[in-house]
Amino acid sequence: MSDEKKLDRRRAASLLASLPLALGAAVGQAQTTPVAPPVFRRGGMFAPEVPERPSFFFAQMIYGEGLSWNPYPTAGRTLMEVLVDRTSIAASPDRVDLRPSDPKLFYYPFLYWTGTREFAPLPQTDLERLRLYLESGGTLLVDDALSTPGVGFDKAFQREFGRLFPGKALERLPQDHTVFLSYYLIDRIGGRTANRPYLSGYNVGERTALIYSGNDLGGAWARDRNGRWVNPTDPGGELQREQAFRLGINIVLYATCLDYKKDLIHTPFISERRRGKKK
Amino acid sequence: MNFIGLLSRLGVDTRGFDRSTLIFPGLESRLALALAALLLVLALVWARSSVSDLSSRPRRFFLIGLQIFAAVLLAGLALRPTIQLASVARVTDRVAIMIDSSSSMTLPAAGGGNRDAEAFKFIERNHEFFDQLERDYLVSWFTFDRDLRELPGRPTAEWKSEGRGTDLMAAVSGAGAAGTAPLAGVIVISDGADTTRLGERFRAGKGGEAVKALLADFPAPVNTVFCGGGGEIRDLAIVSASHDDYGFVHNPFEALVRVRSEGNLAAQTPVIFKQGDRALATKTIALDGGREVEATLSFTPRQVGEFMFSVEVPPVPGELTTANNVVRFPLKVLRDKVRILYLCGNPSWDERFLRQTLKKDPAVDLVSFYILREHWDDYRARQEEVSLIPFPTDELFTEELDSFDMVIWQNFRGAMYMPGAYPQYMQLLNKYVRERGGALLMIGGHRAFFGQGMMDPILVDLLPIVPDDRIPNYLESEFKPVATEAGLRHPVMAIGEAGENPADVLGREPALLGFNRVKGLAPGAIGLVAHPFERSADGGPLPIVAVREVGAGRVAAVMTDSLWVWSMAAAGAGVSAKPYQRFWENTVRWLLQDPEMRLITFSSEQGRVSPGEAVSATIEVLDDTYHPTDRATVKVEVLEQPTGAALTPTEPEPFGVGKYRVTLKPSLPGGYRLRATATLNGRELGHDDLLLEAAEESAEWRDVLPRPEILAEISKASGGVAIAPGGDLKSLSFRRSALEQVTGTRDLPLWDNAVVFALVFMILTLTWFLRRKWGLR
């Protein structure tokens, strides 16, 4: 039995539970420009909860047919809720789903692409749109929900990457990359799994425009309708899940602040913090 | 052979002619030469063959001789022999006498009086010598400094020594070239204080070689008379101050100063680097009599602009001149990097794309503080697990603010993060903009441009807009902003390709996504971009981009946080993202008062004038829409001038649209700073400063010591004699040329007269007769 066909019972159950949500999202239209519901932030400026206009949207890429593009319909929302809770970003909890061909794609400079299965090659026009998207300032987080290299989603994505940037390769992000210190100081990388304890990426200029996670971050973020985690996180347990959320927050902060944390003013503080962490 | 005597005896008038020569003009003609040669050959052949039948040998030889003689005569006639008479005159050589009339000749000489008085007395005292010289030679009199000027004759009164430099070698060369008669010699009367590279080379000990090389081909001896010697000389001088053409703010600026002392002076002297009357740096150096001592002084400029600096040594009692105790120079202090303080209320795409644009410019040094976490945000980690740092508000506002060229305040509610000291920080920000000339850029969002007194009144007073009290302060709606009338010409809105109308560019760009509500423009502000249909409280178009000059600084406000769509969304729509980049580049340049974007310029073609010399300066004025205007009120005031000076510029006089002229006459030496200010409709358009230095030409005064060794070397290299004013003039060396000049000629042709033709006829007739008589045909 090939890897892509192996599904444990818990995962199958969580997928079934998320099906209605997925169907609803698939039937619904992608949002246009953000006249979106306000974000309610705890302890706002004037009152305990004050609506703030959302300034960040979790956009997820639709591709292929069916729902394979959406293995965890709640992952984005959960991450956004945690983002709002822990940072100053007024992120909308409502996900925006877009195909690369969507004329509104370029209004969402952050895009999430995930899946478990191998998929058909994207239309050339979609690839060209994605390339332009990345070169114009967009950030693409690619997340292998199967968390298995060489098969399923990873296999298909590597093929598409080769079409997207011919002759180029994904490179491991060094430990001192800004994404690992944009909010949290991250030493360990994990998602639902920790099979590949690193992130890979592709740079456009000095900016890492494409970040690739092989550990199914979405799988760690996803909750069911009762608020329970859809998946366990192995082998690190809930600590690993926390790391997955921190990594997600860092990736969003990197997308919106770029190399801000590499400014000289921060360096001595970060060095000191790291020294403190090691003790 | 001299034919004059013979011709005279023959009755030819040879008066006025000294010389005669036999010439053959026919030699110049090849045809004549060929004819003559042919004739001779034919005559020889015929002469021999034609007498072959003659038995008598003597008769044969006689006929041959006669025939040859006739042929020679005829051939000679073809060459046209001529006696040329010539009048010859000997050429009179010339002598050039050069008198130094540079300013250094006004300095004292030994025995009282000035050096130029000593020179005049020398000429007067030796008038007999000069009289004889004028009889024997063609004498030309000159004065020289940097240039050479011929005098009508020997000077009979003292001349004015006002020259601003001394170029001995150029003067000598000029003397050599002035006139057609051969040069017999030169007399140079000078103190030897050459202000060109020759003087420098002598100071370096290499003057002899230089003079030898320069005078290698000079055709006559140069005699020199040294005026200015004797007596003790005391002088302290700044020889030069070497420095870069520009300084950079916050970076040390250095000047290398060379000081020379002469005579009995103190062992040390301070060297002072000044701006106006303010001493910036002082260094005490040890003096080394007669030699140059170097000192490096430095200071760190803290302001951008153009300033007058000086390097000075204090005067010494009894020194030769104090004119060389100071060197002034204007200096432009530039930014090497633009330092921007970027405060952002929370991460957003607008902040992200602006940061990316600013970071692309290597001349921008960005210091950013983003509020990544509010007080109530729980990051659920130990402090060592987060990279968040405290926001150093106190240090930024009380210590570092002035080191920034610009502050960006984006979607930032300052009061929340600066409790307690916020009003004081706003006072400092106010001073930073109004007095120091700092720039403030405020960018909108839902945390910006609050009304209802929620913004500090001092901050509100700086802004180009009046906040609106209504809530919400930010409305979301898509709209395409439009350029206002002022925006169409304002340099901030030059966001299209060259010459492209900003309105067309705005029409092409993606729609913005929301705007901050404001009441309208603040007094003195200009709206550049407006909402297409929303109105402000005063009924005017609702500003989306507004600018304002506030005191010495500038403020801009952008009432949206969605300008980033002109970058990324434009790319997605196939529209150029360059307008986005240009907008921010232009905004930063305008805020930093880029000279190319000023509304008023004040300039003069001369940066240095002599005290008392009038100079004209021009003021050009644009209105705030960058059109030349003559409706402005222009005023000029003197900001800095030397103590005791009373410079009063004339009233600005219009001489074209937006152009005004003023005349200035600085009376005293020193640095002057003037400011031109233009006001239009009660609002100041801005100002510009002009720096002017009034000083005697510094080259002449840098080194005023008499230099007899230069004169001696010139004389030696050219074969002349160097003397003092009391020396023996008979020893001066002059050359006599042996040149003659033919002043007239007369030609006496020998070939075209009856005697010669008769002679030829007689010979030919005799030949014929004898041939017939002796039986020859």
Side-chain angles (χ1 to χ4, degrees), chain A residues 33-36 41-46 52-57 84-90 104-110 129 132-134 136-139 181-186 207 242 246 253-261 263 265-266 269-270 273-274 276-277, chain B residues 345-349 351-353 355-356 359 366-374 376-390 392 413 416 445-447 450 454 471 474-478 510-511 513-514 561-562 564-565 567-574:
Chain A
T33 49
V35 184
R41 297 171 52 75
R42 183 180 46 175
M45 280 183 266
F46 312 112
E52 272 194 15
R53 180 179 143 269
S55 59
F56 183 88
F57 294 84
V84 166
D85 205 38
R86 301 190 189 187
T87 76
S88 64
I89 297 180
K104 288 297 181 183
L105 176 69
F106 286 74
Y107 285 84
Y108 299 95
F110 178 86
R129 286 270 291 173
L132 181 61
Y133 175 85
L134 294 173
S136 309
T139 301
L181 44 90
S182 55
Y183 193 84
Y184 292 100
L185 298 174
I186 291 178
R207 178 180 63 90
E242 172 61 20
R246 290 186 182 187
L253 266 292
Y254 176 72
T256 53
C257 300
L258 298 176
D259 59 350
Y260 162 64
K261 279 297 174 182
D263 286 356
I265 189 84
H266 299 273
F269 290 95
I270 291 172
R273 296 273 168 87
R274 283 199 183 278
K277 228 180 146 194
Chain B
N346 68 329
S348 66
W349 296 123
E351 155 272 313
R352 138 75 190 286
F353 282 90
R355 177 187 174 87
Q356 200 166 353
K359 285 290 245 180
L366 201 61
V367 177
S368 314
F369 291 95
Y370 301 167
I371 306 300
L372 302 184
R373 171 192 162 253
E374 313 275 13
W376 50 83
D377 292 323
D378 181 3
Y379 47 71
R380 311 222 178 162
R382 298 192 310 276
Q383 197 172 41
E384 59 265 25
E385 293 176 321
V386 294
S387 64
L388 307 177
I389 66 168
R413 179 101 200 276
M416 285 174 62
H446 60 275
R447 299 175 188 198
F450 275 102
M454 283 190 275
I471 298 286
Y474 192 96
L475 292 180
E476 290 184 57
S477 72
E478 287 190 19
L513 305 175
D561 65 353
S562 59
W564 65 272
V565 300
S567 180
M568 185 148 177

Side-chain angles (χ1 to χ4, degrees), chain B residues 618-733:
Chain B
T618 304
I619 304 164
E620 295 183 59
V621 183
L622 304 172
D623 62 21
D624 47 23
T625 62
Y626 286 79
H627 263 155
T629 178
D630 50 8
R631 293 181 295 114
T633 304
V634 178
K635 195 177 66 170
V636 174
E637 55 178 327
V638 179
L639 294 185
E640 290 171 20
Q641 58 183 327
T643 308
L647 178 63
T648 309
T650 57
E651 277 301 307
E653 179 197 336
F655 72 99
V657 179
K659 289 189 181 179
Y660 301 82
R661 189 184 287 125
V662 293
T663 305
L664 313 162
K665 206 171 179 183
S667 55
L668 294 181
Y672 295 75
R673 176 188 282 274
L674 297 100
R675 176 164 290 176
T677 315
T679 318
L680 181 63
N681 299 330
R683 195 166 76 206
E684 194 178 293
L685 294 174
H687 62 263
D688 192 18
D689 290 356
L690 175 70
L691 291 179
L692 207 56
E693 185 195 0
E696 300 295 347
E697 177 59 45
S698 62
E700 183 64 10
W701 297 103
R702 281 305 122 217
D703 183 1
V704 296
L705 294 178
R707 305 297 297 272
E709 69 274 17
I710 296 182
L711 298 175
E713 205 58 50
I714 289 174
S715 292
K716 182 179 165 192
S718 61
V721 172
I723 62 170
D728 179 14
L729 271 73
K730 290 198 183 68
S731 66
L732 297 185
S733 172

Side-chain angles (χ1 to χ4, degrees), chain B residues 148-362:
Chain B
L148 191 64
R149 289 169 297 278
E150 188 163 0
L151 298 174
R154 193 188 322 176
T156 53
E158 278 192 43
W159 49 87
K160 278 192 182 170
S161 297
E162 295 175 324
R164 295 183 176 187
T166 309
D167 191 344
L168 281 164
M169 293 315 303
V172 169
S173 299
T180 51
L183 188 66
V186 177
I187 302 176
V188 175
I189 306 171
S190 169
D191 60 3
D194 190 285
T195 58
T196 66
R197 277 190 56 80
L198 182 68
E200 290 176 20
R201 295 194 74 172
F202 265 92
R203 277 192 289 276
K206 294 179 184 167
E209 302 158 14
V211 166
K212 216 181 256 180
L214 289 166
L215 289 174
D217 296 323
F218 197 73
V222 179
N223 304 289
T224 57
V225 181
F226 169 57
C227 295
E232 195 211 352
I233 291 170
R234 284 152 59 89
D235 190 57
L236 186 61
I238 294 195
V239 177
S240 66
S242 308
H243 52 84
D244 290 336
D245 292 338
Y246 299 97
F248 293 97
V249 72
H250 309 307
N251 284 269
F253 175 83
E254 286 186 349
L256 175 63
V257 182
R258 284 162 51 217
V259 177
R260 194 186 58 254
S261 63
E262 194 72 33
N264 188 12
L265 302 176
Q268 292 179 327
T269 186
V271 183
I272 311 163
F273 198 154
K274 282 173 143 181
Q275 180 184 342
D277 290 330
R278 188 164 64 101
L280 302 170
T282 303
K283 197 167 194 175
T284 301
I285 58 169
L287 295 176
D288 187 359
R291 290 171 173 232
E292 288 177 8
V293 178
E294 286 184 354
T296 302
L297 284 90
S298 88
F299 86 103
T300 302
R302 294 294 178 195
Q303 265 189 308
V304 171
E306 195 172 5
F307 307 94
M308 185 72 80
F309 295 95
S310 64
V311 184
E312 301 179 9
V313 286
V316 172
E319 69 170 316
L320 211 47
T321 178
T322 56
N324 54 15
N325 287 43
V326 61
V327 165
R328 281 186 203 87
F329 55 93
L331 181 73
K332 273 191 183 155
V333 179
L334 310 173
R335 290 180 185 86
D336 59 346
K337 280 206 167 202
V338 173
R339 208 152 176 262
I340 299 179
L341 174 63
Y342 191 168
L343 304 176
C344 182
N346 68 329
S348 66
W349 296 123
D350 208 38
E351 155 272 313
R352 138 75 190 286
F353 282 90
L354 176 56
R355 177 187 174 87
Q356 200 166 353
T357 300
L358 293 173
K359 285 290 245 180
K360 262 188 207 162
D361 187 347

